[in-house]
Amino acid sequence: MLEEVKQKYASSLDISLETVGLLEIDWRSFLQGVVLQEKGDMWMFDEQSIFFHNGKLVGGIKSFETLLMDEFHYQNCRPLELYEAMAEEAYRLKFARSSNDVVYLDISIDNGPSRRLLIELFSEVCPRTCYNFKCLCTGEKGRSEENGLKLHYQGSILHRVVKNGWVQGGDIDVGKGNGGYSVYGATFEDESFAVPFDRRGVLAMANHGRHTNRSQFFITFQACPWMNKKYVAFGRVIEGFDLLSDIEALETFNERPKKDCIVQSCGVFFDAEEAAKLQAAKEEERKKLAMELKAARAVKVEKEKEVEEIKVEQNGEVGVDETDENKRLDDTLDNVADNTANFIV
């Protein structure tokens, strides 16, 4: 809708339009700030998009359509469901085109139903750290050869909740906060401090000094700039705002939650490497089909040339057999083209 307005009016009117897409946790955090600032009816706001005009809040999609009608006499004829479908597709493509893995932690509070945290791992920035976390989510490394410890987050607890700070877990040893083990051994080095602690939902390794990373991790409840250069941040929560808020609200004793927070299951939600392999295989198949189509067209052109030569020799009289052969070639080309189109879709 915004693009259509821009195309129609941006050249004749002094207007600028900007669209900003947010992940679930960023959107909820942003909306929370807007609600606190605007108050009033915004407490009941539950839409998935919000609009501003000249720095002032307009509201949701209906309010924005009213503004467009009043200001530009623009009327939207497309259903809301279409825009929702387009947004979902853009959200899917964001991760499909990314080189980052996405993992999940299904967490129960006080033996209640499990709810999910979706976490994007910054594999390009911290590949070793991300691989450690990913393997601990899948449990694919089995048990440690040194001490027989099960290298898996499943069944572990979130043992520490710091109000306005962070939630900590990943002690796969005793669960008290003083244990843990990595897939590389007892500890591994600090890989990079490039990712800042600038927002809610940053995922980082817990440590007890330089180069002492194990399996323990923490997730921030807010920006913690004092953590920069002290802890290795390597991912962020992208979905699970309400679950993170409920964990933060838990009553604690010496920063230990009074209700058990257990990782009931965990694993890989989106594997970037596997997705890249699948995409490469699709591209190879597409090229193969395109080559087959090109070869079939060449055969058809050659056949048409032969037919033309026969026409000249026979004063334009073409037998039924040649016509049937051309029809068969046309049908073959149509089938190849259909297969190629279906594959690309």
Side-chain angles (χ1 to χ4, degrees), residues 152-157 262-265:
H152 201 185
Y153 283 138
Q154 186 176 28
S156 65
I157 65 171
I262 303 174
V263 179
Q264 298 291 356
S265 63

Side-chain angles (χ1 to χ4, degrees), residues 4-257:
E4 189 174 345
V5 174
K6 185 175 182 179
Q7 291 173 5
K8 284 187 175 182
Y9 303 106
S11 59
S12 58
L13 298 174
D14 184 19
I15 62 172
S16 62
L17 298 171
E18 181 181 5
T19 305
V20 179
L22 298 175
L23 297 170
E24 188 256 10
I25 191 167
D26 296 329
W27 162 251
R28 294 291 299 278
S29 298
F30 171 76
L31 187 59
Q32 190 177 64
V34 173
V35 169
L36 291 174
Q37 179 179 344
E38 299 292 336
K39 299 182 175 61
D41 293 338
M42 284 302 297
W43 290 105
M44 302 295 292
F45 190 85
D46 61 353
E47 297 185 36
Q48 298 303 308
S49 56
I50 193 169
F51 298 88
F52 295 84
H53 181 235
N54 293 332
K56 295 182 179 180
L57 175 67
V58 174
I61 184 68
K62 294 298 182 183
S63 300
F64 183 61
E65 287 180 342
T66 300
L67 173 68
L68 292 179
M69 188 64 184
D70 294 341
E71 295 282 338
F72 306 108
H73 305 291
Y74 170 82
Q75 187 171 1
N76 177 42
C77 299
R78 297 181 178 88
L80 178 60
E81 289 76 14
L82 172 62
Y83 296 110
E84 292 175 345
M86 292 170 63
E88 290 178 2
E89 178 65 9
Y91 190 78
R92 184 190 67 80
L93 288 176
K94 171 181 172 56
F95 294 103
R97 295 168 177 169
S98 171
S99 59
N100 292 336
D101 294 323
V102 178
V103 298
Y104 66 90
L105 300 176
D106 288 339
I107 299 169
S108 67
I109 300 176
D110 197 26
N111 295 320
S114 296
R115 290 184 287 168
R116 177 164 292 186
L117 288 179
L118 273 186
I119 302 171
E120 180 183 9
L121 303 180
F122 300 147
S123 306
E124 291 187 344
V125 180
C126 299
R128 277 176 59 80
T129 309
C130 291
Y131 182 74
N132 177 69
F133 192 85
K134 178 182 175 182
C135 289
L136 289 168
C137 284
T138 62
E140 62 191 74
K141 296 297 182 181
R143 294 185 178 274
S144 167
E145 295 180 358
E146 289 82 5
N147 56 18
L149 185 65
K150 187 178 180 181
L151 301 173
H152 201 185
Y153 283 138
Q154 186 176 28
S156 65
I157 65 171
L158 304 182
H159 61 269
R160 188 181 185 191
V161 174
V162 180
K163 302 295 183 183
N164 298 314
W166 66 92
V167 55
Q168 188 169 330
D171 185 350
I172 58 176
D173 190 0
V174 292
K176 295 182 179 179
N178 56 357
Y181 215 79
S182 80
V183 299
Y184 306 116
T187 61
F188 67 100
E189 73 283 357
D190 295 332
E191 187 170 17
S192 171
F193 297 109
V195 180
F197 292 85
D198 59 351
R199 65 187 65 194
R200 180 182 181 86
V202 174
L203 171 70
M205 296 302 298
N207 62 45
H208 52 90
R210 292 288 187 182
H211 307 301
T212 58
N213 302 292
R214 295 174 290 182
S215 58
Q216 286 197 46
F217 64 90
F218 64 90
I219 298 171
T220 61
F221 292 137
Q222 61 181 16
C224 300
W226 61 270
M227 292 183 174
N228 292 335
K229 310 300 182 184
K230 293 182 179 180
Y231 303 95
V232 177
F234 62 98
R236 60 172 175 171
V237 175
I238 57 177
E239 288 188 17
F241 182 91
D242 290 334
L243 174 56
L244 207 58
S245 297
D246 290 345
I247 292 173
E248 184 178 12
L250 288 173
E251 187 177 354
T252 61
F253 180 76
N254 289 336
E255 297 183 344
R256 178 82 176 223

Side-chain angles (χ1 to χ4, degrees), residues 282-306:
K282 287 183 176 180
E283 182 64 18
E284 191 64 29
E285 185 66 20
R286 187 193 67 79
K287 290 180 180 179
K288 180 180 177 182
L289 290 171
M291 290 177 63
E292 290 179 359
L293 180 59
K294 183 177 180 181
R297 283 175 175 167
V299 171
K300 180 182 178 182
V301 170
E302 187 64 28
K303 186 63 179 178
E304 287 175 346
K305 288 174 62 177
E306 293 177 3

